[in-house]
Amino acid sequence: MSRLSPDSLQKLHEEMASFLAPRLKQELTPGVPDYPYHLLVCGGTGCHATRSLEVMVRLRGEIETRGLQEKALVIETGCNGFCAQGPVMTVYPGGIFYQYLKPEDALEIIQEHVLKGSPVERLMYHDPETGQPVYRMQDIPFFGLQAPRVLRNRGLIAAERIEEYIGRQGYLAACKALLEMSPEQIIKEVKDSGLRGRGGAGFPTGMKWEFASRSRARVRYVLCNADEGDPGAFMDRSVLEADPHSVLEGMIMAAKAIGAHQGYIYCRAEYPLAVKRLGMAIEQARNYGLLGKGILGSGFDFDLEIYRGAGAFVCGEETALMTSIEGKRGMPRPRPPFPAVEGLWRKPTVLNNVETLASVPQIILQGARWYNALGTLRSKGTKIFALTGDIVNVGLVEVPMGTPLGTIIYDITGGIRKGKRFKAAQLGGPSGGCIPAQHLNAPVDYESITQLGAIMGSGGMIVMDEDKCMVDVARFFMEFCQDESCGKCTPCRVGTQKMLEILTRICHGEGREGDIETLERWASIIQNTALCGLGQTAPNPVLSTLRYFRQEYEAHIREKRCPAVVCSALFKAPCIHTCPVEMDIPTYVTLARLGRLEEAYKVLLRTNPFPSVCGRVCDHKCELKCRRGTLDDPVHIKAIKRYITDHAPMPRQEPLSPTRKEHIAVVGAGPSGLAAARELALRGYPVTVFEELPEAGGMLIWGIPEYRLPREVLRKEVQAILDLGVELRCNTKVGRDISWEELKRGFDAVYLAVGAHRSMKLGVEGEDLQGVYGAVEFLRKVNLGEPPALGERVAVIGGGNSAIDAARCALRLGAGEVTILYRRLRPDMPAQEEEIRAAEEEGVKIRYLVTPVKFLGEDSRLREILCQRMALGEFDSSGRRRPVPLQGENFSLKADAALLAIGQIPVLPFPAEGDGIKVSRGGLIQTVPGSKTRVSESLIFAGGDAVSGPDTVIGAIASGKVAAREIDSAIRLRNGEEPFREPALAQIEIPAEVTETPQGPRASIPHKDPQRRRKDFTEVELELPEELMVREASRCMRCDIQVA
Amino acid sequence: MDQTATVRLSIDGKEIRVPENMTILDAARENGIRIPTLCHHPALSSWGGCRICVVEVDKAPRLVASCVMPVREGMEVVTSNQRILESRRTILEFLFAERNHYCMFCAQSGDCELQSLAYELGMDHLTVPPSFKEFPVDATNPYMALDHNRCILCGRCVRACKELAGNSVLNYQNRGARTLVCKDLNEPTADSSCDASGVCLQVCPTGAIYHRLRPHQAVLGKKGPLRVVQTRCPVCGLLCETQCTLREENLIRIDGALSTKRPDRGQLCRKGRFEPMLNRAGRILEPMVRQADLSLHPTTWEDALEKLSAGLMEARHRKGGILGMVCADCSCEEMWLMKELVEEGLGGHLGLLEREALVAVQKAFREMERTFLGLRECSWVHLAEADFILLVGADPEASHPLLASLIRRASMEQGAKVVSVGSTPVLPSCKVMHWGVAPEALPSAARALLAGAVQAAGGSDPITRWKRILSELESAGSEGLPGELSEEVKKEGQEMALGFMRANSPVIVAGPELLGRREHSALLQIMFLALLKGLLPQNALRLILLKPGGNAASALRLNCLEIPEEVEKQGAGACLVLLGGDQNRELHGVVPKADFLALIGAHVPHELMRRAHVVLPRPLWPEQGGNYLSLDGHEVGNVSAIQSPPAGLRRSWEVLLALAGRAGIRGLPSDPQVLSARSLAALNLS
């Protein structure tokens, strides 16, 4: 190696460019070897951890034993970015991408790909939708949708060879800046490019340089901040590992711009590979005369040192970083004076982040206009994000500024793992904040992110799914901040500690009224009085979670409940906590395992009046949070519950004689009304239930088809409630058979559980044609035994459980062809996945991204549906993509009947807005603030679907129980009585033992054969055989046992 | 005329004009607007940590710390509104809630800045729940303790240790809420490099660092009249300005004058701050004479004086005659009166107890007088701006801790090079280049240094003269030098001398290992070395001699260092010893045997007590004051008495005058002022 002159640099560049040429060739003819092959194995920290070095050794070994050295070259690159799939490798020409490599795959790759020219499909990325292998890296959405600029060399060059960097135009920018440009020109170019600091604050880089260049001091410094410390952030590390020279080159230009001759890279010692590669890069650059005296013969001197930080987060703050380089304890200093005036050793200093500096060479080489063509009005260029958390593809992405958040999360990184819901993205680390689902459309740029209460930060993005508790997240970040506070200023040192104490208390269920307000007050004081950025931003995670998830804090404080089921101090087991009526799942599962079914049934009835119903039609949210699910599959709680109720005799409940004088009316004998009636009766109240239809059961009987819930099961449990002494008056409609006023006069309290029995209309032409029915009305008719004639072809509109029920009933009624029209995609369907699958098995067709726009008929009878094809557009407030019509994409569908299942509203027994009861625009009854069921000053309560809209059975039961409790306590409060005391439960001994079962999938529930079952209404789901039930129950990990 | 630019700004609506670079806090204080502070201290650098002094600037939502924020043209500052007060109060509550600030149990209650801020900001209860974590207490130092439970991490002590004491013993350990002030690498004070200057104690705003000698004597927290007396500390000759606080006659605190202009920046060392307050058990409080039973018995002043003067008169003509001895801690007045009494009045000799520590000095000065008339030591303040400090046989930390701190600071702040030649390494917490030289080899080292310096200076004219003198000295072979210097010694000396000669303002500090030598040639060579670099104003050599005691310079002037050789060997007829030191410390010298021995002192070593015939009590320096000559002889310090002596005690000059009266010596002034003037005149210092 010898010192380079501008000419020899150019010559070296040309030589190396032709060496690298095969790596730019994207074309490939399968089956025809195209030598030489460059095998680019990822050598980032992530892939090292998954043994990429061994893969490399094996590949080299195979090449050597076959004497292929001339034909195939193995190169260790820096981080490729697709870290979750590591070790990864790209083979050029062609850019064939391999993932999850193992050392033993080397043989096949050499034999097939190198020798025969046939890439190994087995090792490629497979499209999750189609299951097809994707050959070229560029065709993988993760890569294809990115715009690599800073990362332009990632996975493409050997990170430890300066020559390959030069082959990719390396140091040509430095050459231009040193020999052809004045400092003013460099600064102007950077200013014009609009480049802003990528460390987080987004200060315009050119302006920073200009300030420092104006100083009259003789000695100045250029510093690179590589003290990346945000949890989940690894952008800088990857740049340093993959392309260290781009940072050095950026620093040379910064030095020239401000007139500095010495620079430091402050890199955390926890990045040994980055430090090693930086050290090698500096050494190589010095050997070529690209650092040191008279760089490239320009007469400009600049040299660099690496300073290793000891892992203090605060040393990422500029003044603390400088104090640390000075050899002192890394504590921030007050500003002013700003570093551009008095920085390192009180000399003018420019400090830039790794990514900022690595952006500069391209700006100088390609010009400001090329750079600022990408981005938004005030945020130019691209930004690298390190994506971690609950996403499918963890890794590093570089996208243009202004790319919507949803695009990054769903399109590039493949969305949320295990099909869960997106809850929030945490940007900016401990200084940042959360962006919730309703802002998935937000463009990611400095201003928009700040407006949403987060910060761009250095680019760490932690994606969280529905299973994350936001109070816990805030507590985590606060713990981080208070731990990393340098201790210098009071607000940061003590304030964060005190805020953490409150947050910890809340997470432990010891939150108090006023805690939220105290947090907000302290947060604002800390923000406004702390010395440095660390303290000033430390409250951000709390404030941003409070902004979007205040109700989660309130649930922790007021109800001692963690909605995401994370804060384990608040519950015995996740399943219990998830269940709306808090069924004691581990207990009855254990009893079932031990064969003590009768006792198990008693446990079921303690909290749930309809256990056998729930054993069949519950949406079993408990299983979603079952910890066994993190190991293999959740325990089949629903099936165990059904087994108990099917095999044990129902425990007898003696009739109760009322002990109280207050008489309660319940309107509607659905699950909510009956649950309330039972709870009230147990508390000693005489209860009368009014039901419009001939039989009690509500939606359970009139909505859910019999093939899902056999009627005798339901009747048994309804009868048990009536046996307690509850009076039921069927065929009695309030407002028709008994007036609303009469009801209020005759009873001390009224519980409205009228359900939502009217289907919503689409609001399109032709909806009143014969053959167009509401799904609820249709199901009611079917269950009353008076099904309408549907004809041959039936279309069902909607994607919820009602749609599926309607479709499957239509099939059973003899329709030849049943098609569900849904306007979004399957993952967005509200219906339960197993229901959808069962419908498909029976022959129901589902057409996605379709919505009816017109019903066409002949002789006022439906004949045809004009449909509009849809596409998914922006995200709506629920975090799902909104369907938008595809212009000109219409088609018509022949149909003899259409069933509308797009939503239901209640039919209220009283005039709208009567009695001060508020009704929402959607037709739902609204409760008064502070109560879940009370709807008016007088003792009128409401619950179930009439309040929540169409919900689950268990949700209705829960609201009935809440209503009973609220009615009871309202009456007692009015009378000045003591609150109700729960009677002691009969003790049921269960062993506190954990059975260990080997890992493996859960039992699948047997179903009747689809071809047979589609003909009648007999029950489709069959019960679990005893042996399987016991095995399922043994899989319970007994989270309820406390280990002292 | 000073052309400092000024800026105009408004504080609380008041338009003011102040010099630029001023902080908002200073601007406000200068204009009578009070902003509370806690971590700020005028004698220390700005820190901006506690955030109590936050103010609003230009209506910005973010408040700024006024103690570190410079003023700016047109700035609009609001120092007090509801938001600011709420922030301050919350921050104050944070501090109270962080550790265990339960004022009623704190020794510092009433004298605590944190507590008075609570009153000022109306914090009558805590809304922030306090933590009940217990922190350690470091009580390994006898003078002061560090109680982390009361620490608010304001960092004043850390800055004072670094910026005033130049010691950097204190720093922080851990992070966040676990942050603790620590010493060195988390050593207990006793094992640390702390030299107990106590400057940290003086600046601590709470009871975190507290006085162990007066642990329940908060200055403001107790009833009783308080008195603050400004005086100088006479202990080591640096005459530091001190502030003594007394409640009635009890000395409860000695502080340094942190607002001083002196280069020591107003610190005190352990000798000035703590030692005067040590327990005075064993103090002599009444006259005693040896009775027929051969033991000492208390008696009246008249009886004691009678016995004493009789003993002296009787011994006047006996062999050996009368010997007077003073201690280097005696005041100018005491020394002069002793000289008048013993030498003029009784025809005897006056000598210094610590004479052995200064043998070479006396001889060398005499020699210097012969060759270069009128040369003197330089003032110790030159150390503050020195860029090269050569320590020869000196350990300033032991003898003159304040000078040690000046040296450390010069090293730290100006990068002064510190080189030490001597038997043991010194100044452990300073970057010192140590040349280990055994006491017997010190002359060789001195010679090597001088030789190197001469070589470095080249052959210019004055140099030849020094060379001649040098060769004369060598040929005299004054200290039996072991022939030629080894090459190694020569080389080392050469290098050091080169550094000395190249420096802009080097200073040599010579200590006991050099000053106490029988032969003075080594000291002379060091003097020549200083001379080679040229003189400072007032004919001062670049040399400071670390003499023992607080007033050795006066003894040197009175020429009373030595005593005649035959007396030294065979003893005196009578010996009158005036002990100046407060403490019962080891004497620096030997009292020759005498037929009649009389002592005046506050504490008398047991060995002397056994031999004494008459013992008279003497007040301590805070009780009688007096003039003292500084270490370098450049300054006279008037040490005022700050409290009255215990009942029944007489001031030593009264005793000496009474003795003179009994001996029939006339003409000594009885008026204290005249006495002071006469004594200074005798020292050529009037």
Coordinates of all heavy atoms in Angstrom, one line a residue, chain A residues 1-53:
Chain A
M1 N 0.9 -1.2 0.0 CA 0.0 0.0 0.0 C 0.9 1.2 0.0 O 1.9 1.3 0.7 CB -0.8 0.0 1.3 CG -2.1 -0.8 1.2 SD -3.1 -0.4 2.6 CE -3.6 -2.1 3.0
S2 N 0.4 2.2 -0.7 CA 1.2 3.4 -0.7 C 0.2 4.6 -0.7 O -1.0 4.4 -0.9 CB 2.1 3.5 -1.9 OG 1.2 3.5 -3.1
R3 N 0.7 5.7 -0.4 CA -0.1 6.9 -0.3 C -0.8 7.2 -1.6 O -0.1 7.1 -2.7 CB 0.7 8.1 0.2 CG 1.2 7.9 1.6 CD 2.1 9.1 2.0 NE 1.2 10.3 2.0 CZ 0.5 10.7 3.1 NH1 0.5 9.9 4.1 NH2 -0.2 11.8 3.1
L4 N -2.0 7.5 -1.6 CA -2.7 7.7 -2.9 C -2.7 9.2 -3.2 O -2.8 10.1 -2.4 CB -4.2 7.3 -2.7 CG -4.5 5.8 -2.6 CD1 -5.9 5.5 -2.3 CD2 -4.0 5.0 -3.8
S5 N -2.6 9.4 -4.5 CA -2.9 10.7 -5.1 C -4.2 10.7 -5.7 O -4.8 9.6 -5.9 CB -1.8 11.0 -6.1 OG -2.0 10.2 -7.2
P6 N -4.8 11.9 -6.1 CA -6.1 11.8 -6.7 C -6.1 10.9 -7.9 O -7.1 10.2 -8.1 CB -6.3 13.3 -7.1 CG -5.5 14.1 -6.1 CD -4.3 13.2 -5.8
D7 N -5.0 10.9 -8.7 CA -5.0 10.1 -9.9 C -5.0 8.6 -9.5 O -5.7 7.8 -10.1 CB -3.8 10.4 -10.8 CG -4.0 11.8 -11.4 OD1 -5.1 12.2 -11.5 OD2 -2.9 12.4 -11.8
S8 N -4.1 8.2 -8.6 CA -4.0 6.8 -8.3 C -5.3 6.3 -7.6 O -5.7 5.2 -7.7 CB -2.8 6.5 -7.4 OG -2.7 7.3 -6.3
L9 N -6.0 7.2 -6.8 CA -7.2 6.9 -6.2 C -8.3 6.5 -7.3 O -9.0 5.5 -7.3 CB -7.8 8.0 -5.4 CG -9.2 7.8 -4.8 CD1 -9.2 6.8 -3.7 CD2 -9.7 9.1 -4.2
Q10 N -8.3 7.4 -8.3 CA -9.2 7.2 -9.4 C -8.9 5.8 -10.1 O -9.8 5.1 -10.5 CB -9.1 8.4 -10.4 CG -10.1 8.3 -11.6 CD -11.6 8.5 -11.1 OE1 -11.8 9.2 -10.1 NE2 -12.5 7.7 -11.7
K11 N -7.6 5.6 -10.3 CA -7.2 4.3 -11.0 C -7.6 3.1 -10.1 O -8.2 2.2 -10.7 CB -5.7 4.3 -11.2 CG -5.3 3.5 -12.3 CD -3.9 3.8 -12.8 CE -3.2 2.5 -13.2 NZ -2.2 2.0 -12.3
L12 N -7.4 3.2 -8.8 CA -7.8 2.1 -8.0 C -9.3 1.9 -8.0 O -9.8 0.8 -8.0 CB -7.3 2.4 -6.5 CG -7.5 1.3 -5.5 CD1 -6.9 0.0 -5.9 CD2 -7.0 1.8 -4.1
H13 N -10.0 3.0 -8.0 CA -11.4 2.9 -8.0 C -11.9 2.2 -9.3 O -12.7 1.3 -9.2 CB -12.1 4.3 -8.0 CG -13.5 4.4 -8.5 ND1 -14.5 3.7 -7.9 CD2 -14.0 4.9 -9.6 CE1 -15.6 3.9 -8.5 NE2 -15.4 4.6 -9.6
E14 N -11.3 2.5 -10.4 CA -11.7 1.8 -11.7 C -11.4 0.4 -11.7 O -12.2 -0.5 -12.0 CB -11.1 2.5 -12.9 CG -11.8 3.8 -13.2 CD -11.0 4.8 -14.0 OE1 -9.9 4.4 -14.6 OE2 -11.3 6.0 -14.0
E15 N -10.2 0.0 -11.2 CA -9.8 -1.4 -11.1 C -10.8 -2.1 -10.2 O -11.3 -3.2 -10.6 CB -8.5 -1.5 -10.4 CG -7.3 -1.4 -11.3 CD -6.0 -1.3 -10.5 OE1 -6.0 -1.9 -9.4 OE2 -5.1 -0.7 -11.0
M16 N -11.1 -1.6 -9.0 CA -12.0 -2.2 -8.1 C -13.4 -2.3 -8.6 O -14.1 -3.3 -8.4 CB -12.0 -1.5 -6.7 CG -10.7 -1.8 -5.9 SD -10.3 -3.5 -5.8 CE -11.6 -4.2 -4.8
A17 N -13.8 -1.3 -9.3 CA -15.2 -1.3 -9.9 C -15.4 -2.4 -10.8 O -16.4 -3.1 -10.8 CB -15.5 0.1 -10.5
S18 N -14.4 -2.7 -11.6 CA -14.6 -3.8 -12.6 C -14.5 -5.2 -11.8 O -15.2 -6.1 -12.2 CB -13.5 -3.8 -13.7 OG -12.2 -4.0 -13.2
F19 N -13.7 -5.2 -10.7 CA -13.8 -6.4 -9.9 C -15.1 -6.6 -9.3 O -15.6 -7.7 -9.1 CB -12.7 -6.3 -8.8 CG -12.8 -7.3 -7.7 CD1 -12.4 -8.6 -8.0 CD2 -13.3 -7.0 -6.4 CE1 -12.4 -9.6 -7.0 CE2 -13.3 -8.0 -5.5 CZ -12.9 -9.3 -5.7
L20 N -15.8 -5.5 -8.9 CA -17.1 -5.6 -8.2 C -18.2 -5.8 -9.2 O -19.4 -6.0 -8.8 CB -17.3 -4.4 -7.3 CG -16.4 -4.2 -6.1 CD1 -16.7 -2.9 -5.4 CD2 -16.5 -5.3 -5.2
A21 N -17.9 -5.6 -10.5 CA -19.0 -5.6 -11.5 C -20.0 -6.7 -11.4 O -21.2 -6.5 -11.5 CB -18.4 -5.5 -12.9
P22 N -19.5 -8.0 -11.2 CA -20.5 -9.1 -11.1 C -21.6 -8.9 -10.0 O -22.7 -9.3 -10.1 CB -19.7 -10.3 -10.7 CG -18.3 -10.0 -11.1 CD -18.2 -8.5 -11.0
R23 N -21.2 -8.1 -8.9 CA -22.2 -7.9 -7.8 C -23.3 -7.0 -8.2 O -24.2 -6.8 -7.4 CB -21.5 -7.4 -6.6 CG -20.4 -8.3 -6.1 CD -19.9 -7.9 -4.8 NE -18.6 -8.5 -4.6 CZ -17.7 -8.1 -3.7 NH1 -18.0 -7.1 -2.8 NH2 -16.5 -8.7 -3.6
L24 N -23.2 -6.3 -9.3 CA -24.2 -5.4 -9.7 C -25.1 -6.0 -10.8 O -26.1 -5.4 -11.2 CB -23.6 -4.1 -10.3 CG -22.8 -3.4 -9.2 CD1 -22.1 -2.2 -9.8 CD2 -23.6 -3.0 -8.0
K25 N -24.7 -7.2 -11.2 CA -25.5 -7.8 -12.3 C -26.7 -8.6 -11.7 O -26.6 -9.5 -10.8 CB -24.6 -8.9 -13.0 CG -25.1 -9.2 -14.3 CD -24.0 -10.1 -15.0 CE -24.7 -10.9 -16.1 NZ -23.8 -12.0 -16.6
Q26 N -27.9 -8.2 -12.0 CA -29.1 -8.7 -11.5 C -29.7 -9.9 -12.3 O -30.5 -10.6 -11.9 CB -30.2 -7.6 -11.3 CG -29.8 -6.5 -10.4 CD -29.8 -6.9 -8.9 OE1 -30.4 -7.9 -8.6 NE2 -29.1 -6.2 -8.1
E27 N -29.2 -10.0 -13.6 CA -29.8 -11.0 -14.5 C -29.2 -12.4 -14.2 O -28.0 -12.4 -13.7 CB -29.5 -10.7 -16.0 CG -30.0 -9.3 -16.4 CD -29.1 -8.2 -16.0 OE1 -27.9 -8.4 -16.0 OE2 -29.7 -7.1 -15.6
L28 N -29.9 -13.4 -14.5 CA -29.5 -14.7 -14.2 C -30.2 -15.7 -15.1 O -31.4 -15.6 -15.3 CB -29.8 -15.0 -12.8 CG -29.9 -16.4 -12.3 CD1 -28.7 -16.8 -11.5 CD2 -31.2 -16.5 -11.4
T29 N -29.5 -16.6 -15.7 CA -30.1 -17.7 -16.5 C -30.0 -19.0 -15.7 O -28.9 -19.5 -15.6 CB -29.4 -17.8 -17.8 OG1 -29.0 -16.5 -18.3 CG2 -30.3 -18.5 -18.9
P30 N -31.1 -19.4 -15.2 CA -31.0 -20.6 -14.3 C -30.4 -21.8 -15.1 O -30.8 -22.0 -16.3 CB -32.4 -20.9 -13.9 CG -33.1 -19.6 -14.1 CD -32.5 -18.9 -15.2
G31 N -29.6 -22.6 -14.5 CA -29.0 -23.7 -15.1 C -27.8 -23.4 -15.9 O -27.1 -24.3 -16.4
V32 N -27.4 -22.2 -16.0 CA -26.2 -21.9 -16.7 C -25.2 -21.1 -15.8 O -25.5 -20.0 -15.4 CB -26.4 -20.9 -18.0 CG1 -25.1 -20.6 -18.7 CG2 -27.5 -21.6 -18.9
P33 N -24.1 -21.7 -15.4 CA -23.2 -21.1 -14.5 C -22.7 -19.8 -15.1 O -22.4 -19.7 -16.3 CB -22.1 -22.1 -14.2 CG -22.7 -23.4 -14.7 CD -23.6 -23.1 -15.7
D34 N -22.5 -18.8 -14.2 CA -22.1 -17.4 -14.7 C -20.9 -17.0 -13.8 O -21.1 -16.4 -12.8 CB -23.3 -16.5 -14.6 CG -23.0 -15.1 -15.2 OD1 -21.8 -15.0 -15.7 OD2 -23.9 -14.3 -15.2
Y35 N -19.7 -17.4 -14.2 CA -18.6 -17.2 -13.3 C -18.0 -15.8 -13.5 O -18.2 -15.2 -14.6 CB -17.5 -18.2 -13.6 CG -17.9 -19.6 -13.3 CD1 -17.9 -20.6 -14.2 CD2 -18.4 -19.9 -12.0 CE1 -18.3 -21.9 -13.9 CE2 -18.9 -21.2 -11.7 CZ -18.8 -22.2 -12.6 OH -19.2 -23.5 -12.3
P36 N -17.3 -15.2 -12.5 CA -17.2 -15.7 -11.2 C -18.4 -15.4 -10.3 O -19.0 -14.4 -10.5 CB -15.9 -15.0 -10.7 CG -16.0 -13.7 -11.4 CD -16.6 -13.9 -12.7
Y37 N -18.6 -16.3 -9.4 CA -19.6 -16.1 -8.4 C -19.0 -15.4 -7.2 O -17.9 -15.7 -6.7 CB -20.2 -17.4 -7.9 CG -21.3 -18.0 -8.9 CD1 -21.0 -19.1 -9.6 CD2 -22.5 -17.3 -9.0 CE1 -21.9 -19.7 -10.4 CE2 -23.4 -17.8 -9.9 CZ -23.2 -19.0 -10.6 OH -24.1 -19.5 -11.5
H38 N -19.8 -14.4 -6.7 CA -19.4 -13.8 -5.4 C -20.4 -14.2 -4.4 O -21.6 -13.9 -4.5 CB -19.4 -12.2 -5.5 CG -18.2 -11.7 -6.4 ND1 -17.7 -10.5 -6.1 CD2 -17.6 -12.3 -7.4 CE1 -16.7 -10.3 -7.0 NE2 -16.6 -11.4 -7.8
L39 N -19.9 -14.9 -3.4 CA -20.8 -15.4 -2.3 C -20.7 -14.4 -1.1 O -19.7 -14.4 -0.4 CB -20.5 -16.8 -1.9 CG -21.0 -17.9 -2.8 CD1 -20.3 -17.9 -4.1 CD2 -20.7 -19.3 -2.1
L40 N -21.7 -13.5 -0.9 CA -21.6 -12.5 0.1 C -22.3 -13.0 1.4 O -23.5 -12.9 1.4 CB -22.2 -11.2 -0.4 CG -21.5 -10.7 -1.7 CD1 -22.4 -9.7 -2.4 CD2 -20.1 -10.2 -1.4
V41 N -21.5 -13.4 2.3 CA -22.0 -13.9 3.6 C -22.1 -12.7 4.6 O -21.1 -12.0 4.7 CB -21.2 -15.0 4.2 CG1 -21.8 -15.6 5.4 CG2 -21.0 -16.1 3.1
C42 N -23.2 -12.6 5.3 CA -23.4 -11.5 6.2 C -22.5 -11.7 7.4 O -22.5 -12.8 8.0 CB -24.8 -11.4 6.7 SG -25.0 -10.1 7.9
G43 N -21.7 -10.7 7.8 CA -20.8 -10.8 8.9 C -21.2 -9.8 10.0 O -20.3 -9.2 10.6
G44 N -22.5 -9.5 10.0 CA -22.9 -8.5 11.1 C -23.0 -9.3 12.4 O -22.9 -10.5 12.5
T45 N -23.1 -8.5 13.5 CA -23.2 -9.1 14.8 C -24.3 -10.1 14.9 O -24.1 -11.2 15.5 CB -23.4 -8.0 15.9 OG1 -22.2 -7.2 15.9 CG2 -23.5 -8.6 17.3
G46 N -25.5 -9.8 14.3 CA -26.6 -10.7 14.4 C -26.3 -12.1 13.7 O -26.5 -13.1 14.3
C47 N -25.7 -12.0 12.5 CA -25.4 -13.2 11.8 C -24.2 -14.0 12.4 O -24.2 -15.2 12.4 CB -25.2 -13.0 10.3 SG -26.8 -12.7 9.5
H48 N -23.3 -13.2 13.0 CA -22.2 -13.9 13.7 C -22.8 -14.8 14.8 O -22.4 -15.9 15.0 CB -21.3 -12.9 14.3 CG -20.2 -12.5 13.4 ND1 -19.2 -11.6 13.8 CD2 -19.9 -12.7 12.1 CE1 -18.3 -11.4 12.8 NE2 -18.8 -12.1 11.7
A49 N -23.8 -14.2 15.5 CA -24.4 -14.9 16.6 C -25.1 -16.2 16.1 O -25.2 -17.2 16.8 CB -25.4 -14.0 17.3
T50 N -25.6 -16.2 14.8 CA -26.2 -17.4 14.3 C -25.3 -18.2 13.5 O -25.6 -19.0 12.6 CB -27.5 -17.1 13.5 OG1 -27.1 -16.0 12.6 CG2 -28.6 -16.6 14.4
R51 N -24.0 -18.1 13.7 CA -22.9 -18.9 13.2 C -22.6 -18.7 11.7 O -22.4 -19.6 11.0 CB -23.2 -20.4 13.5 CG -23.6 -20.7 14.9 CD -23.4 -22.1 15.3 NE -23.5 -23.1 14.2 CZ -23.9 -24.3 14.3 NH1 -24.4 -24.7 15.4 NH2 -23.9 -25.1 13.3
S52 N -22.7 -17.4 11.3 CA -22.4 -17.2 9.9 C -20.9 -17.5 9.6 O -20.5 -17.8 8.5 CB -22.7 -15.8 9.5 OG -21.9 -14.9 10.0
L53 N -20.0 -17.3 10.6 CA -18.6 -17.5 10.4 C -18.4 -19.0 10.0 O -17.6 -19.3 9.1 CB -17.8 -17.2 11.6 CG -17.7 -15.6 11.8 CD1 -17.0 -15.4 13.2 CD2 -16.9 -15.0 10.7

